[in-house]
Amino acid sequence: MDTPAVPLPRDPRERAMLDQLTIIRDRLLLLKQDRTNYIRTQDVMPLFDQTMEQVKELAAVRAETGVKEENRLDKVLESCFQLLSLFYLTIGRNNEAPATYALTSTIKRLLDHLTEADLYSSKDLGSIKSTLEGLSKSIEQGEREQVPEKRPPPYMLALLSNRVELCNVTLTKLMKRLERIPEPLLVTHQQLVSILRAVALANTKSKFSYSEVKKLRSQIVEIGDRYNGGKFTSDDGTPLPGSDEVRELYQRCLKWSDIVLDRKGVVTDQWRPIYEVLVGIRNDLEKLSLTQAWSLRETDLYDFQRQLDKIDENRVNGNWLDDRGRPADLWTQRTLLYLIRRSYAYIYSFMLASEPVSEALLPIYNQLQTLKRCLIEVKKNGGVSSVRELYPYSMKLNSLDNMKVDGKFVVNGDIPEGQGSVSELLAECFEINYELRVAAEEEANEEGAPEANGQNEPELKMTKSEDKDE
């Protein structure tokens, strides 16, 4: 496991803590790699408590010595926090404060890249703003927690609050820059950002399509033609509010599309290794996005993050240097940065989509999600013509409901986190199924159909589950 080249702590007490935290980190990595068993709360919490004990000792030592320089201890501690945060997501404790650490790390990276690239839309910032508000609520709930065993340590709450505040400061600066663009041009700005990203995507496909990029460039020109030949002024030449920002973006789009068309996706030999690593990460994350609910364990994101962080932090003054100390050309730099940003965006979306359900309950939860979608589609399309059409849904719902033991789902003798979420989803499915059944029976009664009286109907539970767990 690579750790950035930073000095060892000088204080012997910090060195002892470094040894302890390294052991904890390695145990977390071993637990992460174990695919033979579900990760349980009782596997994670002892390691969390041990980490907090080291943090408490570190805070006391640093208060005594006044040391503020970062050393290897801080890096290993960061890895522990990152892993523990992802483990909290894996065991379904998404709404608790420790789970926010990994998400704040990813948001910080995204905001830094958006600032550097000066390329973002109101939609990008709106999503991040909403997420940060949710994280602030989780931290506030942790501060108000009355049960001592569930209350996060003060140090962690302070750390998380500072990280969220740091993200909010950067976000506010970015939002102010967009405020200079009024509503009419803001839509055009969004379109240009989307097209520029589409060009960047086409640029990194395994087979470069000249015609695809050419078509995207034509769309850019069409937008410019609607605004006085790309001047973004009124018909009489009067500058529109925000026209300078949009015009600059328009010119960037044209220049980048021309560079991409000229390069045709060709990567020079000295940059091919790093390019292939980043394309591989992006492609793996893209595949996960198609099967996330069924195949992703949140702790898997740690390895992707570490790889991306290491490559991103290897830049010197914003650019990469080859073996001879030469900076990457503009096309290479922007292409690599796009791949990094796209991968961070995938990781961000995976964390947002993580359900507050333990890994052990996810198979049941995912089946219920699928059932709910199917039932909703049936309802949208006019329902069923016969109660018999609901038998497969009813039988599946009952089979899942019968897995409960004393009102709870038990897996390998454990009661995993997320019982309330699964039971609530099960109840929703029963409710939709019941509504469809009633509608079918009413229609059958009106038409005088035989199934109106439920003839030859097997005895199945059709009402909303009454033993819903909160």
Side-chain angles (χ1 to χ4, degrees):
M1 159 92 178
D2 290 333
T3 301
V6 290
L8 286 166
R10 297 178 182 179
D11 193 300
R13 293 171 294 179
E14 287 200 15
R15 291 198 178 191
M17 293 176 211
L18 173 61
D19 293 338
Q20 290 299 316
L21 286 170
T22 301
I23 293 171
I24 294 170
R25 183 200 63 191
D26 292 345
R27 288 178 62 189
L28 287 167
L29 288 171
L30 287 173
L31 182 61
K32 177 182 79 68
Q33 292 164 5
D34 182 8
R35 310 294 295 200
T36 59
N37 299 297
Y38 291 124
I39 294 174
R40 305 173 303 168
T41 299
Q42 54 264 46
D43 298 326
V44 176
M45 296 315 296
L47 295 172
F48 176 82
D49 293 337
Q50 291 171 30
T51 303
M52 292 303 106
E53 289 174 9
Q54 297 300 315
V55 168
K56 185 178 179 181
E57 290 184 27
L58 178 61
V61 170
R62 293 270 172 94
E64 176 187 329
T65 62
V67 172
K68 295 184 178 179
E69 292 81 11
E70 190 176 75
N71 59 48
R72 195 171 300 177
L73 172 59
D74 298 282
K75 289 295 183 183
V76 175
L77 180 58
E78 181 183 355
S79 295
C80 291
F81 278 148
Q82 194 81 6
L83 282 163
L84 286 166
S85 180
L86 293 170
F87 272 115
Y88 261 70
L89 295 177
T90 303
I91 62 177
R93 301 176 73 163
N94 303 44
N95 299 322
E96 297 184 28
T100 66
Y101 187 92
L103 192 49
T104 58
S105 297
T106 305
I107 290 175
K108 179 69 168 59
R109 290 277 181 180
L110 282 173
L111 288 171
D112 288 344
H113 275 283
L114 291 177
T115 302
E116 179 185 11
D118 194 18
L119 182 69
Y120 51 90
S121 67
S122 55
K123 289 183 179 179
D124 298 329
L125 302 186
S127 171
I128 293 175
K129 183 176 184 292
S130 176
T131 302
L132 288 173
E133 289 172 352
L135 296 181
S136 296
K137 290 179 181 178
S138 296
I139 295 170
E140 290 171 5
Q141 288 173 1
E143 293 171 340
R144 295 195 303 266
E145 178 59 59
Q146 299 299 315
V147 182
E149 294 78 13
K150 293 184 178 181
R151 186 185 306 126
Y155 172 87
M156 169 154 268
L157 290 172
L159 173 67
L160 294 172
S161 295
N162 290 337
R163 290 168 70 88
V164 170
E165 180 59 29
L166 189 63
C167 291
N168 274 320
V169 169
T170 306
L171 176 65
T172 301
K173 291 179 181 177
L174 293 175
M175 294 182 74
K176 284 184 177 178
R177 291 163 72 177
L178 277 187
E179 287 174 359
R180 298 195 297 261
I181 306 174
E183 190 63 35
L185 280 182
L186 197 59
V187 176
T188 302
H189 182 273
Q190 170 69 42
Q191 291 173 337
L192 289 171
V193 169
S194 298
I195 294 173
L196 188 57
R197 288 175 176 170
V199 172
L201 173 61
N203 180 48
T204 56
K205 289 184 178 179
S206 56
K207 186 176 181 180
F208 182 79
S209 173
Y210 190 91
S211 60
E212 181 182 359
V213 179
K214 194 72 174 174
K215 184 178 179 180
L216 289 168
R217 191 187 187 284
S218 298
Q219 293 177 19
I220 298 170
V221 174
E222 288 175 7
I223 291 174
D225 290 342
R226 295 203 301 265
Y227 290 93
N228 204 5
K231 295 179 181 179
F232 295 91
T233 59
S234 59
D235 294 336
D236 60 2
T238 305
L240 298 171
S243 59
D244 290 342
E245 287 82 1
V246 179
R247 182 168 57 252
E248 180 184 350
L249 176 58
Y250 170 75
Q251 291 169 352
R252 282 180 64 186
C253 290
L254 287 175
K255 181 179 179 180
W256 178 239
S257 59
D258 288 338
I259 293 173
V260 169
L261 287 169
D262 181 63
R263 192 66 175 256
K264 299 181 178 66
V266 177
V267 185
T268 54
D269 292 340
Q270 70 266 37
W271 299 111
R272 182 162 292 281
I274 185 175
Y275 176 82
E276 289 179 348
V277 168
L278 288 174
V279 167
I281 293 173
R282 192 271 313 270
N283 291 346
D284 287 343
L285 291 170
E286 187 175 9
K287 290 174 186 174
L288 277 174
S289 70
L290 303 176
T291 59
Q292 175 191 0
W294 301 93
S295 61
L296 177 68
R297 175 187 271 187
E298 284 83 354
T299 50
D300 295 339
L301 298 176
Y302 178 78
D303 294 329
F304 291 118
Q305 283 183 313
R306 291 292 292 179
Q307 284 181 283
L308 292 169
D309 291 351
K310 186 176 180 181
I311 294 172
D312 197 19
E313 290 166 5
N314 277 341
R315 290 190 288 157
V316 178
N317 296 324
N319 202 354
W320 288 272
L321 304 178
D322 63 13
D323 295 337
R324 296 170 60 182
R326 296 172 301 182
D329 60 90
L330 182 62
W331 179 88
T332 299
Q333 180 193 20
R334 288 190 178 180
T335 299
L336 297 181
L337 283 173
Y338 164 76
L339 289 169
I340 288 177
R341 290 164 187 156
R342 184 62 184 148
S343 296
Y344 278 131
Y346 272 125
I347 292 173
Y348 171 71
S349 67
F350 291 149
M351 290 182 182
L352 287 187
S354 176
E355 300 287 354
V357 174
S358 172
E359 179 185 30
L361 285 183
L362 270 181
I364 299 173
Y365 189 82
N366 289 334
Q367 290 179 66
L368 287 169
Q369 288 276 46
T370 303
L371 275 170
K372 182 180 177 180
R373 283 194 292 268
C374 291
L375 288 167
I376 289 174
E377 283 301 313
V378 170
K379 190 174 181 179
K380 282 182 180 178
N381 288 284
V384 294
S385 57
S386 167
V387 173
R388 291 189 180 90
E389 294 179 35
L390 294 173
Y391 291 171
Y393 302 109
S394 301
M395 294 177 69
K396 183 61 179 178
L397 286 172
N398 278 275
S399 71
L400 293 174
D401 190 52
N402 290 336
M403 294 174 66
K404 286 184 178 181
V405 178
D406 296 329
K408 295 187 179 296
F409 292 96
V410 179
V411 180
N412 297 330
D414 294 317
I415 301 176
E417 302 277 351
Q419 297 284 329
S421 297
V422 177
S423 294
E424 183 177 354
L425 184 56
L426 177 63
E428 289 176 7
C429 290
F430 270 123
E431 188 69 37
I432 299 170
N433 192 57
Y434 177 72
E435 291 172 0
L436 289 168
R437 172 192 169 93
V438 170
E441 288 178 340
E442 289 177 352
E443 184 177 349
N445 280 328
E446 291 174 1
E447 297 175 357
E451 60 262 35
N453 296 318
Q455 296 175 4
N456 302 321
E457 178 186 330
E459 194 67 32
L460 289 173
K461 183 177 180 181
M462 294 304 217
T463 57
K464 184 176 181 180
S465 176
E466 294 177 356
D467 48 1
K468 171 180 151 186
D469 298 317
E470 296 296 341

